Amino acid sequence: MKEGLTIVVPVKAGVPNITAVRFDPVTHNIVREGVPLMLNPYDRNALEFALRLKDKYGGKVITLSMAPPSGKDFLESTVGMGADEAYLITDRVFAGADTLATSYTVARTIQKLFPNFDLIVFGEETTDSTTAHMPAQVASWLELPYVYYAVDAEVDVKNGMIRVTRYLEDEGVYEVYEYKLPVIISVYKNSNPPRDISLNRKIQARLSGLVKSVTNNELKLDTFCVGLRGSPTIVAKLEEAKPIERKKQIFKGSPEEAAKWLLENLVKEGVIKA
Amino acid sequence: MSTAQQQRICSEWEPINKSEYRGIWVYIEHANGVIKEGSLQLIGKARELAGKLGDADVTAVMLGYNLGDLVKEPIYYGADKVIYIDNPVFSKYIPHVYAEAIVYLARKYKPEIILFAGTKRGRELAPYVANSLRTGITADCTDLDVDPKTRDLDQVRPTYGGNMLAHIRTPTRRPQLASVRPNVFPTPPRDTSRKGEVIREEFNEVIDPRGPGLVEVRSVVKGDELPPVEKSDIVVVAGKGVGGPDGVKLLTELAKELGGTIGGSKKVVDAGWLPSDRQIGQTGKTIRPTLYIGVGVSGAIQHIFGMKESRIIVAINSDPNAPIFQYVDYGVVGDYKDVVTKLLELLRNRKKG
Ligand SMILES: Cc1cc2nc3c(=O)[nH]c(=O)nc-3n(C[C@H](O)[C@H](O)[C@H](O)COP(=O)(O)OP(=O)(O)OC[C@H]3O[C@@H](n4cnc5c(N)ncnc54)[C@H](O)[C@@H]3O)c2cc1C
């Protein structure tokens, strides 16, 4: 085992205001070009998770993102938080990718650039697409064990083993998984509150060019596996969400009258026993 | 365009013949001898989709060790068939091992659709399965339909903050995968007179687990004893407008009085007034109780998202222009404390006499 850990943290440039976005009229995909991007908030918890492991066991933390060229800026903020280097995977052929094609691009890039990685640490999901697909899909491409909702991990650096504790919110249980490195982890979004982004480090990142761009010239991925062509899913239609018809009866009056009115109606509806 | 060009696909995808794929699968999640509600609900939806397709049956897929009679349960809820593997490998849950087993079965039987309950574990398994089959997947669908002509699954999911609904399809690949959060569809009735076929499969594929996998499970002792939000017919939901833990306490009393449970908006959970497993909304739980009462909840779209399927929606809010009033059956404009206190009084008096 080499010295310290090599931890890759794939991050996403989220569209900050999800209610004010434009869509491509043909592909129905969100238009990212020219939109100011921000780091997906849950990726900061993932980066914190990775940085804590680095603080404890040494090594380096590398962030990486597939995004339009404007993604450089938010990657600089990951360096500002403590990442050692950052990579922007950017090429027109990657545009229009669904989660299968995105995971392919991310997985093969990691294999190419950091073949000796120990850990890939993802955020639980993104706030703009909320699929949580990426960690499992990258695990599938790389044929590696994976575990979601991680809150903590301990590494046995000598033997190359990791113990990951995860929290399953809906069952109220903690589970501990033990694996041989490398593995893939996604971090429970309500854990590992992220440290601040140092403005100094962020500026330093820009001045010393710590964010590097890679295109498909270097990656040489089959163009039928990436972008729109590598995406089996299509958005067939986008429509406004229509709410269910409601009675919309509104009562204004004294609290006594209001309470009486409510109770009568709920009994009438049969949702409270008469 | 020549046929050769049309057929050019990613070098890492196996070519498939769509017409070889038939039938709808539901992956059955279970624990301690009980099938998860979300899986049962999908059997109901799958029945409906199979009816539209005409020549498709509904198959429940189960993995476990010492499953016993549990394998018959999916049939009682509407499955035509159960395919299961009973193997010590599955005595502990290891995500990639479970996922690989489902992939193995799907390669063998070629279903056209596979549905997963969007529980924490379901959301962890489904994308790995889809990816390994080199096909598409849609997370957290709020509706599903099929096109009987193309047999494409119409996967509807809210997107971009819930203002839009995306209809997602996987026209060129099979199977088509989707996850659906629990309680989006109703649970079908249990009918023990239903008959179906039960098929036991072996699992001899050796998957290198690369470690012992799961080594420890710890239960969190819950501080409050009210049932989980997705299990209750009546859910009283505290919003930021209740002002603090005391407000939540008052609403918890109301919930108890009504025989229901307590939930909260994201702001209430973020403030630490309620645990995160009680959060209702896009990034919390989806509920469809018979009665939802939102108190001091403004009605942000991300919140509405998790409760808009409730049968009756009630809101109490001091602001007559609060967005939540757009979604209610019965709304009361007023200070929550006064209204809830009066309501509690009425309810308690009713009980007395
Ligand atoms: C990506 C994303 C995901 C999100 N996911 C969720 C989610 O899952 N669930 C969720 O709930 N939110 C979610 N949100 C947050 C959501 O946008 C709102 O911020 C949140 O729902 C507001 O909570 P609230 O209604 O409790 O508080 P507020 O918006 O602060 O509303 C408080 C309400 O209380 C009323 N009020 C004040 N005093 C009184 C009184 N004395 N009596 C009666 N009424 C009173 C006010 O008029 C107001 O309408 C998400 C946001 C984002 C960006």
Side-chain angles (χ1 to χ4, degrees):
Chain A
M1 178 95 194
K2 52 197 165 2
E3 267 171 63
L5 300 167
T6 302
I7 308 172
V8 182
V9 184
V11 296
K12 186 182 179 189
V15 177
N17 186 353
I18 47 176
T19 54
V21 292
R22 279 190 310 122
F23 300 96
D24 183 310
V26 178
T27 62
H28 300 306
N29 281 327
I30 194 164
V31 175
R32 290 178 184 282
E33 280 78 11
V35 176
L37 301 171
M38 68 167 232
L39 180 58
N40 169 46
Y42 306 145
D43 292 345
R44 291 194 59 194
N45 303 72
L47 187 48
E48 177 64 33
F49 186 101
L51 291 170
R52 286 183 192 181
L53 288 179
K54 179 194 151 172
D55 292 345
K56 219 160 143 189
Y57 305 106
K60 66 176 172 179
V61 173
I62 302 153
T63 57
L64 129 177
S65 185
M66 186 178 104
S70 57
K72 256 208 156 131
D73 190 57
F74 87 89
L75 276 171
E76 279 161 6
S77 65
T78 66
V79 178
M81 213 178 119
D84 298 277
E85 22 180 321
Y87 288 80
L88 178 69
I89 314 170
T90 190
D91 198 307
R92 291 208 68 86
V93 293
F94 300 146
D98 71 1
T99 61
L100 183 84
T102 305
S103 65
Y104 179 79
T105 311
V106 168
R108 295 290 178 248
T109 302
I110 292 173
Q111 273 181 312
K112 244 176 216 169
L113 300 182
F114 326 105
N116 299 318
F117 73 88
D118 298 295
L119 264 173
I120 305 177
V121 181
F122 285 92
E124 179 169 330
E125 61 185 17
T126 61
T127 52
D128 64 351
S129 8
T130 65
T131 69
H133 282 173
M134 210 49 49
Q137 288 182 314
V138 169
S140 159
W141 287 117
L142 301 178
E143 295 177 13
L144 288 178
Y146 69 108
V147 58
Y148 274 32
Y149 324 115
V151 294
D152 197 9
E154 276 169 59
V155 183
D156 174 349
V157 180
K158 200 164 123 258
N159 296 307
M161 295 290 291
I162 189 165
R163 267 174 87 89
V164 183
T165 303
R166 64 117 152 229
Y167 178 54
L168 289 166
E169 192 180 71
D170 55 353
E171 297 176 20
V173 296
Y174 284 93
E175 292 182 336
V176 181
Y177 287 84
E178 226 177 270
Y179 291 117
K180 198 165 158 291
L181 294 168
V183 294
I184 294 176
I185 287 170
S186 91
V187 174
Y188 176 54
K189 62 192 173 195
N190 295 327
S191 71
N192 294 272
R195 62 194 69 183
D196 290 339
I197 296 171
S198 142
L199 197 60
N200 259 342
R201 265 193 70 96
K202 193 177 160 178
I203 293 166
Q204 205 49 48
R206 174 158 308 177
L207 294 179
S208 41
L210 284 181
V211 181
K212 299 176 191 72
S213 292
V214 273
T215 66
N216 206 32
N217 279 340
E218 295 110 86
L219 296 171
K220 300 195 167 44
L221 303 178
D222 178 353
T223 58
F224 278 82
C225 300
V226 300
L228 211 51
R229 287 195 290 200
S231 300
T233 61
I234 57 159
V235 181
K237 195 167 70 175
L238 261 184
E239 61 185 13
E240 296 266 342
K242 268 191 238 73
I244 300 175
E245 280 293 306
R246 293 288 174 187
K247 294 192 181 72
K248 289 192 196 165
Q249 296 186 19
I250 310 288
F251 188 92
K252 286 177 203 164
S254 75
E256 289 89 350
E257 289 167 337
K260 229 174 122 234
W261 174 82
L262 244 184
L263 196 56
E264 272 166 20
N265 279 302
L266 295 181
V267 170
K268 200 176 73 205
E269 292 280 0
V271 291
I272 292 185
K273 277 186 263 20
Chain B
M1 206 192 270
S2 76
T3 341
Q5 268 173 324
Q6 273 169 8
Q7 281 172 353
R8 170 78 165 90
I9 55 171
C10 171
S11 48
E12 305 209 25
W13 298 5
E14 259 170 69
I16 59 149
N17 179 355
K18 269 170 68 175
S19 61
E20 285 173 5
Y21 291 75
R22 275 292 179 275
I24 306 175
W25 278 17
V26 176
Y27 171 70
I28 302 293
E29 198 180 323
H30 59 91
N32 309 316
V34 181
I35 295 176
K36 296 280 175 75
E37 207 74 9
S39 303
L40 297 175
Q41 291 158 354
L42 288 180
I43 296 176
K45 189 66 189 181
R47 258 286 40 97
E48 185 193 318
L49 298 175
K52 285 191 186 174
L53 285 173
D55 57 343
D57 50 22
V58 175
T59 301
V61 175
M62 291 177 86
L63 306 173
Y65 184 46
N66 290 332
L67 283 166
D69 273 350
L70 196 64
V71 298
K72 292 188 202 142
E73 278 304 307
I75 302 211
Y76 302 153
Y77 286 90
D80 300 301
K81 235 191 267 176
V82 178
I83 298 175
Y84 73 98
I85 306 176
D86 196 308
N87 189 307
V89 165
F90 304 118
S91 58
K92 57 184 177 184
Y93 173 85
I94 303 177
H96 67 289
V97 174
Y98 266 62
E100 288 286 359
I102 304 166
V103 170
Y104 161 78
L105 291 175
R107 287 221 168 94
K108 179 163 177 180
Y109 285 90
K110 295 188 167 43
E112 58 197 308
I113 292 170
I114 311 179
L115 305 178
F116 288 82
T119 58
K120 294 285 166 191
R121 291 184 206 271
R123 298 185 91 211
E124 176 177 50
L125 289 178
Y128 189 101
V129 173
N131 204 91
S132 297
L133 297 167
R134 308 290 188 250
T135 187
I137 169 159
T138 306
D140 295 336
C141 295
T142 51
D143 203 2
L144 295 171
D145 201 355
V146 280
D147 179 339
K149 258 197 250 124
T150 58
R151 303 181 80 89
D152 283 349
L153 182 66
D154 187 27
Q155 302 156 127
V156 186
R157 88 182 292 256
T159 184
Y160 308 123
N163 295 338
M164 307 291 281
L165 285 179
H167 291 251
I168 296 169
R169 294 188 178 211
T170 311
T172 59
R173 301 293 292 176
R174 293 291 183 266
Q176 310 164 84
L177 278 79
S179 69
V180 179
R181 291 263 174 118
N183 298 318
V184 169
F185 302 126
T187 308
R190 181 171 183 264
D191 172 2
T192 50
S193 69
R194 276 188 56 92
K195 297 268 176 295
E197 194 184 349
V198 176
I199 302 166
R200 181 178 179 143
E201 271 290 334
E202 294 307 321
F203 191 57
N204 304 319
E205 304 257 301
V206 186
I207 295 161
D208 174 13
R210 300 203 336 126
L214 181 62
V215 291
E216 193 186 325
V217 180
R218 261 180 294 141
S219 240
V220 187
V221 185
K222 291 236 168 86
D224 54 64
E225 75 280 29
L226 287 178
V229 287
E230 61 276 52
K231 280 263 187 293
S232 200
D233 281 341
I234 296 179
V235 183
V236 178
V237 174
K240 187 78 193 226
V242 304
D246 284 345
V248 175
K249 225 157 123 197
L250 181 66
L251 294 194
T252 307
E253 276 178 55
L254 177 63
K256 274 189 191 154
E257 199 58 42
L258 292 168
T261 198
I262 183 89
S265 71
K266 184 170 188 297
K267 279 197 185 172
V268 162
V269 167
D270 286 349
W273 304 343
L274 277 173
S276 62
D277 58 2
R278 296 203 173 270
Q279 182 186 320
I280 311 301
Q282 186 190 2
T283 47
K285 299 285 171 76
T286 303
I287 56 170
R288 45 165 16 209
T290 35
L291 176 60
Y292 164 101
I293 306 180
V295 183
V297 175
S298 62
I301 189 75
Q302 296 90 350
H303 181 79
I304 297 300
F305 220 66
M307 46 62 88
K308 64 179 173 4
E309 307 259 314
S310 306
R311 189 156 91 64
I312 298 289
I313 295 179
V314 169
I316 302 170
N317 196 307
S318 52
D319 175 6
N321 297 318
I324 195 153
F325 286 129
Q326 298 303 309
Y327 304 91
V328 297
D329 294 291
Y330 302 99
V332 170
V333 179
D335 185 81
Y336 88 90
K337 214 174 195 168
D338 301 340
V339 180
V340 171
T341 308
K342 284 292 165 210
L343 194 57
L344 262 172
E345 242 177 66
L346 283 183
L347 286 165
R348 284 175 179 153
N349 286 341
R350 254 164 42 112
K351 241 181 216 165
K352 274 191 228 142

